[in-house]
Amino acid sequence: MSHRAHLARSSRAARYVRLVRRTALEGVAIQQIVAELRHRRRARAEDRIRCAKDTGLRNLPLYNFDQNRIWCAIVALACEITAWMQLLALTGHPARRWEPKRLRFRLFTAAARLVHTGRQTIIRLSGDHAWTDAIIAGFTRLRALAEPG
């Protein structure tokens, strides 16, 4: 597969391909752009691996292969949910860029109570928690999204 065909596979790379075509750069500049794209992809993959290790992939806690495979699937699901939460609920907040450890210590440990009343489930958050405003803003953004379907 040629470099141009490989680059055209991703949407971010398509911008680089258009840039190369538009400016008609020399062969050396094209190689630099390809190298830059390769390094950015590698860094993004390494960030995801680091976050997965922080989420629970560092050690496999069980003895059986099948049990550890289920554990890995649960960790992957937790990473996906965390990434989507940061993308959809924490838009415009610094928490969108936080690592899993910081999210766990600041947002996921907030004291709350689930209250069931009159066909409703209400989450009552502790008023003295430092990040209660961020949690409420995230829930508000998620409720404002259109329902799928």
Short mmCIF file of all heavy atoms in Angstrom, two decimals, residues 24-66:
data_model
loop_
_atom_site.label_atom_id
_atom_site.label_comp_id
_atom_site.label_asym_id
_atom_site.label_seq_id
_atom_site.Cartn_x
_atom_site.Cartn_y
_atom_site.Cartn_z
N ALA A 24 1.95 21.24 -3.14
CA ALA A 24 2.92 20.58 -4.03
C ALA A 24 4.32 20.62 -3.43
O ALA A 24 5.26 21.16 -4.00
CB ALA A 24 2.89 21.21 -5.42
N LEU A 25 4.44 20.06 -2.26
CA LEU A 25 5.71 20.05 -1.55
C LEU A 25 6.70 19.08 -2.19
O LEU A 25 6.32 18.17 -2.92
CB LEU A 25 5.49 19.67 -0.09
CG LEU A 25 4.64 20.64 0.72
CD1 LEU A 25 4.36 20.04 2.09
CD2 LEU A 25 5.35 21.96 0.86
N GLU A 26 7.93 19.24 -1.83
CA GLU A 26 8.98 18.33 -2.30
C GLU A 26 8.81 16.97 -1.63
O GLU A 26 8.08 16.82 -0.66
CB GLU A 26 10.36 18.90 -1.93
CG GLU A 26 10.66 20.23 -2.56
CD GLU A 26 10.86 20.13 -4.06
OE1 GLU A 26 11.42 19.13 -4.52
OE2 GLU A 26 10.45 21.05 -4.76
N GLY A 27 9.51 15.96 -2.11
CA GLY A 27 9.43 14.61 -1.56
C GLY A 27 9.87 14.55 -0.11
O GLY A 27 9.34 13.78 0.68
N VAL A 28 10.84 15.35 0.27
CA VAL A 28 11.33 15.35 1.65
C VAL A 28 10.25 15.86 2.60
O VAL A 28 10.03 15.31 3.68
CB VAL A 28 12.61 16.21 1.77
CG1 VAL A 28 13.05 16.31 3.21
CG2 VAL A 28 13.70 15.65 0.89
N ALA A 29 9.54 16.91 2.22
CA ALA A 29 8.49 17.47 3.06
C ALA A 29 7.35 16.47 3.23
O ALA A 29 6.74 16.39 4.30
CB ALA A 29 7.98 18.78 2.48
N ILE A 30 7.04 15.73 2.19
CA ILE A 30 5.99 14.71 2.28
C ILE A 30 6.40 13.65 3.29
O ILE A 30 5.59 13.22 4.11
CB ILE A 30 5.71 14.09 0.89
CG1 ILE A 30 5.07 15.13 -0.02
CG2 ILE A 30 4.80 12.88 1.03
CD1 ILE A 30 4.91 14.68 -1.44
N GLN A 31 7.65 13.25 3.26
CA GLN A 31 8.13 12.26 4.23
C GLN A 31 8.04 12.80 5.66
O GLN A 31 7.73 12.07 6.59
CB GLN A 31 9.56 11.85 3.90
CG GLN A 31 9.66 11.03 2.64
CD GLN A 31 11.11 10.74 2.26
OE1 GLN A 31 12.03 11.20 2.92
NE2 GLN A 31 11.28 9.98 1.20
N GLN A 32 8.30 14.09 5.83
CA GLN A 32 8.19 14.68 7.17
C GLN A 32 6.75 14.68 7.66
O GLN A 32 6.49 14.41 8.83
CB GLN A 32 8.74 16.11 7.15
CG GLN A 32 10.23 16.17 6.98
CD GLN A 32 10.72 17.60 6.81
OE1 GLN A 32 9.92 18.52 6.64
NE2 GLN A 32 12.03 17.77 6.85
N ILE A 33 5.83 14.97 6.77
CA ILE A 33 4.42 14.97 7.15
C ILE A 33 3.97 13.55 7.51
O ILE A 33 3.27 13.34 8.49
CB ILE A 33 3.56 15.56 6.02
CG1 ILE A 33 3.82 17.05 5.91
CG2 ILE A 33 2.07 15.30 6.27
CD1 ILE A 33 3.16 17.71 4.73
N VAL A 34 4.40 12.57 6.73
CA VAL A 34 4.05 11.18 7.01
C VAL A 34 4.64 10.74 8.35
O VAL A 34 3.99 10.10 9.16
CB VAL A 34 4.53 10.26 5.86
CG1 VAL A 34 4.41 8.80 6.25
CG2 VAL A 34 3.75 10.54 4.60
N ALA A 35 5.89 11.15 8.62
CA ALA A 35 6.53 10.81 9.90
C ALA A 35 5.80 11.47 11.06
O ALA A 35 5.60 10.85 12.11
CB ALA A 35 8.00 11.21 9.87
N GLU A 36 5.39 12.72 10.89
CA GLU A 36 4.66 13.43 11.93
C GLU A 36 3.34 12.74 12.24
O GLU A 36 2.97 12.55 13.40
CB GLU A 36 4.41 14.88 11.50
CG GLU A 36 3.51 15.67 12.41
CD GLU A 36 4.17 16.02 13.73
OE1 GLU A 36 5.41 15.99 13.80
OE2 GLU A 36 3.43 16.31 14.68
N LEU A 37 2.62 12.34 11.21
CA LEU A 37 1.35 11.64 11.39
C LEU A 37 1.57 10.31 12.10
O LEU A 37 0.83 9.94 13.01
CB LEU A 37 0.66 11.42 10.05
CG LEU A 37 -0.67 10.70 10.10
CD1 LEU A 37 -1.68 11.52 10.89
CD2 LEU A 37 -1.19 10.46 8.70
N ARG A 38 2.60 9.58 11.72
CA ARG A 38 2.91 8.30 12.35
C ARG A 38 3.21 8.48 13.84
O ARG A 38 2.75 7.71 14.68
CB ARG A 38 4.10 7.65 11.64
CG ARG A 38 4.35 6.23 12.12
CD ARG A 38 5.53 5.57 11.41
NE ARG A 38 5.53 5.78 9.98
CZ ARG A 38 6.57 6.33 9.31
NH1 ARG A 38 7.66 6.68 9.94
NH2 ARG A 38 6.50 6.48 8.00
N HIS A 39 3.96 9.52 14.18
CA HIS A 39 4.31 9.76 15.57
C HIS A 39 3.08 10.17 16.39
O HIS A 39 2.94 9.77 17.55
CB HIS A 39 5.39 10.84 15.68
CG HIS A 39 6.72 10.37 15.21
ND1 HIS A 39 7.39 9.31 15.78
CD2 HIS A 39 7.53 10.82 14.22
CE1 HIS A 39 8.54 9.12 15.16
NE2 HIS A 39 8.64 10.02 14.20
N ARG A 40 2.18 10.96 15.79
CA ARG A 40 0.96 11.35 16.51
C ARG A 40 0.06 10.15 16.77
O ARG A 40 -0.52 10.02 17.85
CB ARG A 40 0.18 12.41 15.73
CG ARG A 40 0.83 13.76 15.80
CD ARG A 40 0.03 14.75 15.00
NE ARG A 40 0.76 15.99 14.89
CZ ARG A 40 0.25 17.16 15.18
NH1 ARG A 40 -1.00 17.25 15.56
NH2 ARG A 40 0.97 18.25 15.06
N ARG A 41 -0.05 9.27 15.80
CA ARG A 41 -0.85 8.06 16.00
C ARG A 41 -0.24 7.19 17.09
O ARG A 41 -0.95 6.63 17.91
CB ARG A 41 -0.94 7.26 14.70
CG ARG A 41 -1.91 7.81 13.71
CD ARG A 41 -1.96 6.91 12.51
NE ARG A 41 -2.90 7.39 11.53
CZ ARG A 41 -2.94 6.95 10.29
NH1 ARG A 41 -2.09 6.03 9.88
NH2 ARG A 41 -3.83 7.42 9.45
N ARG A 42 1.06 7.07 17.07
CA ARG A 42 1.75 6.25 18.07
C ARG A 42 1.55 6.84 19.47
O ARG A 42 1.28 6.11 20.43
CB ARG A 42 3.24 6.19 17.72
CG ARG A 42 4.12 5.50 18.70
CD ARG A 42 3.86 4.01 18.68
NE ARG A 42 4.67 3.35 19.67
CZ ARG A 42 5.46 2.35 19.43
NH1 ARG A 42 5.52 1.84 18.21
NH2 ARG A 42 6.16 1.79 20.37
N ALA A 43 1.66 8.16 19.60
CA ALA A 43 1.47 8.81 20.90
C ALA A 43 0.05 8.62 21.40
O ALA A 43 -0.18 8.37 22.59
CB ALA A 43 1.81 10.29 20.80
N ARG A 44 -0.93 8.71 20.50
CA ARG A 44 -2.32 8.51 20.88
C ARG A 44 -2.55 7.09 21.37
O ARG A 44 -3.24 6.85 22.37
CB ARG A 44 -3.24 8.83 19.70
CG ARG A 44 -4.56 9.37 20.11
CD ARG A 44 -5.38 9.86 18.92
NE ARG A 44 -4.77 10.99 18.25
CZ ARG A 44 -4.49 11.03 16.95
NH1 ARG A 44 -4.78 10.00 16.19
NH2 ARG A 44 -3.94 12.08 16.41
N ALA A 45 -1.95 6.12 20.68
CA ALA A 45 -2.08 4.72 21.09
C ALA A 45 -1.42 4.49 22.45
O ALA A 45 -1.96 3.77 23.30
CB ALA A 45 -1.47 3.80 20.04
N GLU A 46 -0.26 5.09 22.66
CA GLU A 46 0.42 4.94 23.94
C GLU A 46 -0.37 5.59 25.07
O GLU A 46 -0.38 5.08 26.20
CB GLU A 46 1.83 5.51 23.87
CG GLU A 46 2.76 4.66 23.04
CD GLU A 46 4.13 5.26 22.85
OE1 GLU A 46 4.36 6.40 23.33
OE2 GLU A 46 4.98 4.61 22.22
N ASP A 47 -1.04 6.70 24.80
CA ASP A 47 -1.90 7.32 25.81
C ASP A 47 -3.05 6.39 26.19
O ASP A 47 -3.39 6.26 27.38
CB ASP A 47 -2.47 8.64 25.30
CG ASP A 47 -1.46 9.76 25.30
OD1 ASP A 47 -0.40 9.61 25.96
OD2 ASP A 47 -1.72 10.79 24.64
N ARG A 48 -3.66 5.75 25.20
CA ARG A 48 -4.76 4.82 25.48
C ARG A 48 -4.27 3.62 26.29
O ARG A 48 -4.96 3.14 27.19
CB ARG A 48 -5.42 4.34 24.19
CG ARG A 48 -6.08 5.43 23.40
CD ARG A 48 -7.29 5.94 24.11
NE ARG A 48 -7.96 6.95 23.30
CZ ARG A 48 -8.83 7.78 23.77
NH1 ARG A 48 -9.16 7.74 25.03
NH2 ARG A 48 -9.38 8.68 22.99
N ILE A 49 -3.07 3.13 25.98
CA ILE A 49 -2.52 2.00 26.73
C ILE A 49 -2.25 2.42 28.18
O ILE A 49 -2.55 1.67 29.12
CB ILE A 49 -1.24 1.48 26.05
CG1 ILE A 49 -1.59 0.81 24.73
CG2 ILE A 49 -0.49 0.50 26.96
CD1 ILE A 49 -0.39 0.49 23.86
N ARG A 50 -1.68 3.60 28.39
CA ARG A 50 -1.41 4.08 29.74
C ARG A 50 -2.71 4.23 30.53
O ARG A 50 -2.80 3.85 31.69
CB ARG A 50 -0.67 5.41 29.69
CG ARG A 50 -0.18 5.88 31.05
CD ARG A 50 0.52 7.21 31.03
NE ARG A 50 -0.42 8.28 30.70
CZ ARG A 50 -0.42 8.97 29.57
NH1 ARG A 50 0.48 8.73 28.65
NH2 ARG A 50 -1.31 9.91 29.34
N CYS A 51 -3.75 4.75 29.89
CA CYS A 51 -5.04 4.90 30.57
C CYS A 51 -5.64 3.54 30.89
O CYS A 51 -6.25 3.36 31.95
CB CYS A 51 -6.00 5.71 29.70
SG CYS A 51 -5.56 7.45 29.60
N ALA A 52 -5.47 2.56 30.00
CA ALA A 52 -5.99 1.21 30.27
C ALA A 52 -5.25 0.58 31.44
O ALA A 52 -5.86 -0.09 32.28
CB ALA A 52 -5.86 0.34 29.03
N LYS A 53 -3.97 0.81 31.54
CA LYS A 53 -3.21 0.29 32.69
C LYS A 53 -3.67 0.94 33.98
O LYS A 53 -3.77 0.29 35.01
CB LYS A 53 -1.71 0.51 32.48
CG LYS A 53 -1.11 -0.44 31.48
CD LYS A 53 0.39 -0.23 31.36
CE LYS A 53 1.00 -1.22 30.42
NZ LYS A 53 2.46 -1.05 30.31
N ASP A 54 -3.97 2.24 33.93
CA ASP A 54 -4.47 2.93 35.13
C ASP A 54 -5.87 2.46 35.51
O ASP A 54 -6.26 2.53 36.67
CB ASP A 54 -4.48 4.44 34.91
CG ASP A 54 -3.10 5.05 34.89
OD1 ASP A 54 -2.14 4.38 35.33
OD2 ASP A 54 -2.97 6.20 34.42
N THR A 55 -6.61 1.99 34.55
CA THR A 55 -7.99 1.55 34.79
C THR A 55 -8.04 0.14 35.37
O THR A 55 -9.02 -0.22 36.01
CB THR A 55 -8.81 1.63 33.50
OG1 THR A 55 -8.72 2.95 33.00
CG2 THR A 55 -10.27 1.31 33.73
N GLY A 56 -7.02 -0.67 35.17
CA GLY A 56 -7.04 -2.01 35.75
C GLY A 56 -6.32 -3.06 34.93
O GLY A 56 -6.35 -4.24 35.27
N LEU A 57 -5.68 -2.67 33.88
CA LEU A 57 -5.02 -3.64 33.02
C LEU A 57 -3.57 -3.91 33.44
O LEU A 57 -2.90 -4.72 32.86
CB LEU A 57 -5.06 -3.15 31.57
CG LEU A 57 -4.88 -4.18 30.47
CD1 LEU A 57 -5.96 -5.23 30.56
CD2 LEU A 57 -4.91 -3.53 29.12
N ARG A 58 -3.10 -3.21 34.47
CA ARG A 58 -1.71 -3.37 34.90
C ARG A 58 -1.46 -4.79 35.40
O ARG A 58 -0.44 -5.39 35.11
CB ARG A 58 -1.37 -2.35 35.98
CG ARG A 58 0.09 -2.30 36.32
CD ARG A 58 0.41 -1.12 37.20
NE ARG A 58 -0.02 0.17 36.69
CZ ARG A 58 0.64 0.88 35.78
NH1 ARG A 58 1.75 0.42 35.27
NH2 ARG A 58 0.18 2.05 35.38
N ASN A 59 -2.38 -5.33 36.17
CA ASN A 59 -2.24 -6.69 36.70
C ASN A 59 -3.48 -7.48 36.35
O ASN A 59 -4.59 -6.96 36.41
CB ASN A 59 -2.08 -6.67 38.22
CG ASN A 59 -0.82 -5.98 38.65
OD1 ASN A 59 0.21 -6.10 38.00
ND2 ASN A 59 -0.89 -5.23 39.74
N LEU A 60 -3.27 -8.74 36.01
CA LEU A 60 -4.41 -9.62 35.79
C LEU A 60 -4.68 -10.34 37.11
O LEU A 60 -3.87 -11.15 37.56
CB LEU A 60 -4.10 -10.63 34.67
CG LEU A 60 -3.86 -9.99 33.30
CD1 LEU A 60 -3.47 -11.04 32.29
CD2 LEU A 60 -5.09 -9.24 32.83
N PRO A 61 -5.80 -10.04 37.78
CA PRO A 61 -5.99 -10.49 39.16
C PRO A 61 -6.45 -11.93 39.31
O PRO A 61 -6.44 -12.46 40.41
CB PRO A 61 -7.08 -9.54 39.67
CG PRO A 61 -7.86 -9.22 38.45
CD PRO A 61 -6.87 -9.19 37.33
N LEU A 62 -6.84 -12.57 38.25
CA LEU A 62 -7.43 -13.91 38.35
C LEU A 62 -6.44 -14.97 37.86
O LEU A 62 -5.43 -14.67 37.22
CB LEU A 62 -8.73 -13.94 37.56
CG LEU A 62 -9.72 -12.84 37.98
CD1 LEU A 62 -10.85 -12.74 36.99
CD2 LEU A 62 -10.24 -13.09 39.37
N TYR A 63 -6.76 -16.24 38.13
CA TYR A 63 -5.83 -17.32 37.82
C TYR A 63 -6.11 -17.97 36.47
O TYR A 63 -5.20 -18.43 35.79
CB TYR A 63 -5.89 -18.38 38.91
CG TYR A 63 -5.44 -17.85 40.24
CD1 TYR A 63 -6.37 -17.60 41.25
CD2 TYR A 63 -4.11 -17.57 40.48
CE1 TYR A 63 -5.97 -17.10 42.46
CE2 TYR A 63 -3.69 -17.06 41.70
CZ TYR A 63 -4.63 -16.83 42.69
OH TYR A 63 -4.23 -16.33 43.88
N ASN A 64 -7.32 -18.03 36.09
CA ASN A 64 -7.73 -18.72 34.88
C ASN A 64 -7.64 -17.79 33.66
O ASN A 64 -7.89 -16.59 33.76
CB ASN A 64 -9.18 -19.21 35.05
CG ASN A 64 -9.61 -20.17 33.99
OD1 ASN A 64 -8.93 -20.38 33.01
ND2 ASN A 64 -10.77 -20.77 34.22
N PHE A 65 -7.28 -18.35 32.51
CA PHE A 65 -7.16 -17.56 31.29
C PHE A 65 -8.49 -16.94 30.90
O PHE A 65 -8.56 -15.76 30.53
CB PHE A 65 -6.61 -18.43 30.15
CG PHE A 65 -6.54 -17.72 28.84
CD1 PHE A 65 -5.52 -16.81 28.59
CD2 PHE A 65 -7.49 -17.93 27.86
CE1 PHE A 65 -5.45 -16.13 27.39
CE2 PHE A 65 -7.43 -17.26 26.66
CZ PHE A 65 -6.40 -16.36 26.42
N ASP A 66 -9.56 -17.72 30.94
CA ASP A 66 -10.87 -17.21 30.54
C ASP A 66 -11.36 -16.11 31.48
O ASP A 66 -11.96 -15.13 31.03
CB ASP A 66 -11.90 -18.35 30.50
CG ASP A 66 -11.64 -19.31 29.35
OD1 ASP A 66 -11.09 -18.86 28.32
OD2 ASP A 66 -11.97 -20.50 29.49
#
